[in-house]
Amino acid sequence: MKLFVSEGNPHCVKVLAGLEVTGVKCDVQLVSHEERVVPFLNRPVLPVLLLPSGQHLFSPNAICQYLFEVVGKEASDDGNQLLEWEATELQPAVLQALHMLMLQGKSGEAGTVLKGPLGWLEQYLSKRTTPFLTEETVAVADIVLWAALYPILSNSTFEAGELPSVRGWFKRVSQVPACEAAVQRVLQGKGLDALKNFLQKQPAPHIQRRDSPS
Amino acid sequence: MALKELSSLEKCLGLKKPNKYSTQGERKVPVLQNNNGPALVGLVTIASHLVHEAKRTELLGNSAEQRAVVQQWLEYRITRLDNCSKEEVKVILKELNQYLEDKVYLAGNSFTLADTLMYYGIHHIIMNLAVQEKEKFLNVTRWFDHIQHYPGVRHHLAPVVVLRNRVYPSGQH
């Protein structure tokens, strides 16, 4: 099994943290953002996990779910729902906010873009009795949502407003040694600036999502 | 759209009692009201839940690896295919066509939930493809035809005519 990652790519924080937390054995290879690891995809996508069967996993969330399943932690409705929310609601907003924040210096507008998703997460967390999103310990949803929000919530110029539950949860996950290590490995000691190179190579996010014609 | 899909999926899974759904937000995300616990939100989450309820978990994959591949294509469906632009449609068809070159189903050799939901999501696109385009994306067309004839899948959708004999001999476009 082999995991392909690239420097400064926030999605790679997800899978490296997942790998560390689960302790699954796997070769890790650092490649450039332009490397086309998956032959059937139109543009270079990272991270990629090459499975023993020879199949490529190119979704960071599916890779994380797989790593947790390998160590016997199967998916739950709760966890699935958070992963789906991350992929469909949070991720497009995060990408747009990162562009504004890191490439255009518009921190106020980045806050507006994320107001909805962060407000939802604050509400979700305030109703939980567990220290983490789904359980007493770090689970796959914590890794995925934490890594998605890392470039935003660890950026001091981002104005998020009062988010006590989100901030508390974010800090708890950040202190997990596996998560700290994953950040170091992806940012290579360059701090959040390491993300700029990655962001510049990404297609500009849609400002408004198109609604389906139906 | 998503609600029709879920109702077809219920029939496909042989679930006798239809569930009650609503939608939320601009994107009309489906919500399943649950008597025994909190509501479930999201097409893939609800669809996976229904598969468990029907005790047909093989449809989510038979091994950890296959389950991951199924999850990946379910995510692809809701993040890439849904609400995509016209230009993006061509990219998606190209990617799927390449991927399906040596595969019968999305997750390899057995039929899974990924095939069902991808079929529901791509139906309106395949429906509007010209004959030449169906020829161009031959592997997608072959997979699509296979799934629409799979027992119990089609339900709310119209059959799409796929000409199995090539109308245009290659090289005369």
Side-chain angles (χ1 to χ4, degrees):
Chain A
M1 210 159 62
K2 198 165 186 177
L3 183 65
F4 298 88
V5 294
S6 64
E7 189 186 308
N9 177 339
H11 302 294
C12 294
V13 176
K14 273 186 194 173
V15 296
L16 286 171
L19 195 64
E20 288 270 344
V21 164
T22 56
V24 172
K25 291 259 182 303
C26 179
D27 287 336
V28 179
Q29 190 179 337
L30 191 70
V31 294
S32 83
H33 297 307
E34 286 83 20
E35 186 102 5
R36 281 186 56 171
V37 183
V38 185
F40 56 84
L41 291 183
N42 223 36
R43 44 168 196 260
V45 171
L46 286 165
V48 172
L49 182 68
L50 180 59
L51 292 166
S53 63
Q55 284 246 56
H56 292 96
L57 283 185
F58 56 86
S59 144
N61 292 8
I63 295 173
C64 286
Q65 260 176 317
Y66 172 72
L67 294 171
F68 274 82
E69 215 193 305
V70 167
V71 295
K73 291 182 181 161
E74 282 183 33
S76 64
D77 277 349
D78 252 7
N80 284 345
Q81 183 168 318
L82 287 165
L83 259 54
E84 182 169 353
W85 178 77
E86 192 271 347
T88 54
E89 307 276 341
L90 183 62
Q91 206 48 252
V94 162
L95 195 60
Q96 201 182 332
L98 276 177
H99 262 262
M100 292 170 163
L101 197 61
M102 304 211 48
L103 301 181
Q104 301 169 342
K106 297 176 181 168
S107 63
E109 288 171 39
T112 311
V113 167
L114 279 169
K115 200 167 185 243
L118 284 173
W120 182 88
L121 187 60
E122 177 66 24
Q123 261 220 325
Y124 176 92
L125 278 161
S126 67
K127 289 185 211 143
R128 298 292 307 184
T129 49
T130 52
F132 294 100
L133 285 169
T134 55
E135 295 169 33
E136 292 294 327
T137 53
V138 164
V140 62
D142 294 291
I143 298 292
V144 165
L145 266 67
W146 164 83
L149 287 168
Y150 183 84
I152 300 286
L153 293 181
S154 64
N155 189 326
S156 54
T157 63
F158 179 70
E159 297 150 28
E162 291 280 307
L163 297 164
S165 308
V166 171
R167 292 276 181 199
W169 160 81
F170 182 77
K171 201 173 160 196
R172 276 192 291 282
V173 185
S174 299
Q175 285 165 346
V176 173
C179 296
E180 266 182 283
V183 167
Q184 289 312 318
R185 210 156 162 187
V186 172
L187 301 186
Q188 305 264 322
K190 293 174 192 159
L192 290 176
D193 272 349
L195 299 173
K196 271 191 188 163
N197 194 11
F198 166 79
L199 285 172
Q200 280 156 349
K201 300 254 159 57
Q202 296 299 299
H206 298 290
I207 299 306
Q208 226 157 16
R209 290 177 67 99
R210 272 164 224 244
D211 277 320
S212 58
S214 56
Chain B
M1 163 96 182
L3 298 194
K4 272 193 193 146
E5 267 181 67
L6 287 169
S7 134
S8 291
L9 181 65
E10 285 178 354
K11 289 181 196 134
C12 179
L13 291 168
L15 289 168
K16 294 267 152 41
K17 247 180 81 191
N19 286 295
K20 282 202 184 108
Y21 301 101
S22 53
T23 58
Q24 70 177 34
E26 276 171 47
R27 293 194 306 115
K28 296 202 166 32
V29 180
V31 180
L32 169 62
Q33 301 301 334
N34 196 339
N35 292 335
N36 318 319
L40 284 180
V41 184
L43 180 65
V44 169
T45 303
I46 297 172
S48 307
H49 175 81
L50 294 178
V51 168
H52 276 282
E53 207 175 285
K55 300 194 167 57
R56 295 285 307 279
T57 49
E58 78 280 2
L59 292 174
L60 295 172
N62 284 316
S63 63
E65 280 196 35
Q66 203 193 13
R67 277 190 284 278
V69 175
V70 170
Q71 282 309 314
Q72 160 159 296
W73 289 109
L74 289 173
E75 188 188 310
Y76 187 95
R77 150 74 211 269
I78 53 170
T79 56
R80 294 281 310 277
L81 186 60
D82 290 358
N83 306 315
C84 72
S85 63
K86 276 202 175 114
E87 306 83 69
E88 188 70 4
V89 164
K90 293 282 174 316
V91 175
I92 290 169
L93 286 171
K94 206 177 147 197
E95 290 187 348
L96 284 174
N97 199 56
Q98 280 214 33
Y99 176 75
L100 288 165
E101 192 168 13
D102 57 353
K103 287 171 192 74
V104 181
Y105 300 104
L106 281 171
N109 293 324
S110 57
F111 174 82
T112 65
L113 183 65
D115 294 299
T116 311
L117 290 200
M118 193 72 88
Y119 162 73
Y120 289 157
I122 210 168
H123 182 273
H124 68 285
I125 293 170
I126 304 290
M127 187 100 164
N128 294 320
L129 284 186
V131 177
Q132 295 95 320
E133 288 174 301
K134 283 188 191 137
E135 290 270 322
K136 188 177 164 196
F137 302 113
L138 202 62
N139 302 322
V140 176
T141 309
R142 171 182 49 77
W143 163 84
F144 182 89
D145 195 40
H146 194 84
I147 303 305
Q148 73 172 352
H149 287 100
Y150 199 88
V153 170
R154 198 167 52 79
H155 283 292
H156 68 286
L157 297 167
V160 174
V161 179
V162 172
L163 296 169
R164 295 180 188 203
N165 299 321
R166 291 181 174 225
V167 179
Y168 299 93
S170 55
Q172 278 193 22
H173 294 284

